[in-house]
């Protein structure tokens, strides 16, 4: 009995060896070489109707999606909100905000959010100018000992701390004082002939022109005066509101 099972095992092993030793008459291809991919259809017997799936059709869809990808345009902000749209001049003569001016405004908004204030006021615009830091206006303020830390400290003293559980909106709306300060910055550029862009110096002078605003009061507390405002204005006009 044992010899019979041993013989059967040897017979099966010899059959397997003979199968693998055979050389195929033609090469084995998983796909047709004459019409690859296109001739391959995958059918699904469990799906009703036309259940064939063509690899070529899906590949063409992928190629189409990759080649006809929609380009997303990038919009560049060149203006800030104004309260006097009716007084706006034509687009050709309308003064444009410099990237430093826009950055100062954006940093002011961010500082208002950090302090959890519901609005962007003149004090936030002032802090935004100091955070921007590369223009000569911020350097002028720091040279007169007006720093971001001092302005933030005076802001909390004047306006108080926000509630711990309060949340500031993503874009805190401008206060009336801050809006008038921005409009004043535009008017200053128009009075000068509209040459050049609106810079952080225009914003600072606009904040200083709002006597009852928190920004003006903070500047006055830290030693900013009308003489220094005139000094800044004359220096800015001589340099053409360009960086040092």
């Amino acid at each position: 009995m044992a010899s019979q099972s041993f013989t059967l095992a040897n017979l099966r092993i010899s059959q397997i060896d003979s199968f693998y030793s055979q050389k195929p008459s033609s090469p084995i291809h998983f796909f047709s070489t004459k019409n690859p991919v296109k001739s391959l259809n995958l059918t699904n017997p469990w799906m009703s109707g036309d259940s064939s799936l063509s690899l070529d059709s899906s590949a063409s869809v992928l190629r189409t999606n990759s080649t006809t990808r929609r380009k997303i345009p990038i919009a560049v902000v060149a203006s800030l909100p104004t309260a006097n749209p009716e007084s706006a001049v034509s687009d050709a003569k309308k003064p444009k905000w410099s990237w430093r001016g826009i950055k100062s405004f954006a940093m002011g908004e961010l500082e208002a959010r950090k302090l959890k204030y519901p609005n962007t006021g003149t004090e936030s615009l002032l802090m935004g100018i100091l955070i921007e830091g590369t223009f000569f206006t911020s350097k002028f303020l720091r040279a007169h000992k007006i720093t971001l830390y001092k302005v933030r400290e005076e802001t909390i003293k004047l306006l108080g701390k926000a509630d711990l559980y309060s949340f500031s909106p993503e874009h805190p709306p401008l206060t009336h004082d801050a809006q008038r300060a921005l409009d004043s910055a535009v008017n200053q550029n128009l009075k000068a002939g509209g040459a050049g862009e609106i810079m952080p110096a225009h914003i600072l002078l606009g904040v200083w022109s709002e006597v009852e605003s928190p920004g003006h009061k903070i500047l006055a507390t830290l030693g900013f005066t009308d003489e220094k405002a005139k000094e800044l204005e004359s220096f800015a006009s001589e340099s053409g509101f360009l960086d040092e």
Side-chain angles (χ1 to χ4, degrees):
M1 186 70 179
S3 61
Q4 185 178 1
S5 61
F6 180 76
T7 304
L8 291 174
N10 289 336
L11 179 61
R12 290 178 181 177
I13 292 173
S14 62
Q15 290 176 351
I16 294 173
D17 291 338
S18 63
F19 174 79
Y20 282 106
S21 62
Q22 293 178 0
K23 294 183 179 179
S25 58
S26 60
I28 299 175
H29 297 285
F30 292 101
F31 301 101
S32 174
T33 56
K34 295 182 179 179
N35 191 11
V37 180
K38 289 186 178 180
S39 61
L40 180 62
N41 289 328
L42 302 179
T43 58
N44 190 344
W46 290 278
M47 296 178 63
S48 60
D50 186 9
S51 60
S52 62
L53 300 176
S54 174
L55 292 181
D56 179 64
S57 61
S58 61
S60 63
V61 170
L62 292 175
R63 288 194 299 269
T64 304
N65 291 339
S66 61
T67 56
T68 60
R69 186 176 297 172
R70 183 172 60 90
K71 296 182 179 180
I72 302 175
I74 300 176
V76 178
V77 179
S79 62
L80 292 180
T82 175
N84 300 317
E86 66 278 357
S87 62
V89 295
S90 61
D91 292 338
K93 298 181 180 180
K94 185 184 298 182
K96 294 183 178 180
W97 289 85
S98 67
W99 67 267
R100 289 187 176 94
I102 295 175
K103 183 180 178 181
S104 299
F105 175 79
M107 291 298 101
E109 274 192 339
L110 182 60
E111 196 63 22
R113 291 185 62 192
K114 286 181 178 179
L115 295 174
K116 296 185 177 182
Y117 287 161
N119 298 95
T120 301
T122 52
E123 72 288 342
S124 299
L125 297 179
L126 178 58
M127 287 186 280
I129 293 172
L130 289 166
I131 294 173
E132 190 277 326
T134 64
F135 199 61
F136 74 86
T137 307
S138 59
K139 299 175 183 179
F140 182 87
L141 291 174
R142 289 196 298 268
H144 290 85
K145 310 300 180 183
I146 302 176
T147 63
L148 175 62
Y149 176 79
K150 291 181 179 179
V151 171
R152 187 184 289 121
E153 190 177 42
E154 291 297 327
T155 298
I156 295 175
K157 288 181 181 178
L158 184 62
L159 302 179
K161 286 186 177 182
D163 185 77
L164 180 63
Y165 300 102
S166 63
F167 292 94
S168 179
E170 183 178 359
H171 297 287
L174 290 168
T175 61
H176 295 295
D177 295 337
Q179 184 64 77
R180 287 194 299 267
L182 293 181
D183 292 337
S184 176
V186 175
N187 293 333
Q188 291 173 33
N189 182 274
L190 291 175
K191 288 179 181 179
E197 298 175 323
I198 304 173
M199 296 292 183
H202 292 106
I203 301 177
L204 180 62
L205 295 174
V207 171
W208 182 249
S209 65
E210 293 297 319
V211 181
E212 298 299 326
S213 67
H216 180 97
K217 295 177 181 178
I218 292 170
L219 283 171
T221 303
L222 297 177
F224 197 83
T225 59
D226 290 333
E227 289 73 19
K228 292 178 181 178
K230 292 178 181 178
E231 181 183 353
L232 174 65
E233 186 176 3
S234 61
F235 179 77
S237 59
E238 290 174 3
S239 61
F241 288 99
L242 298 177
D243 197 5
E244 291 179 334

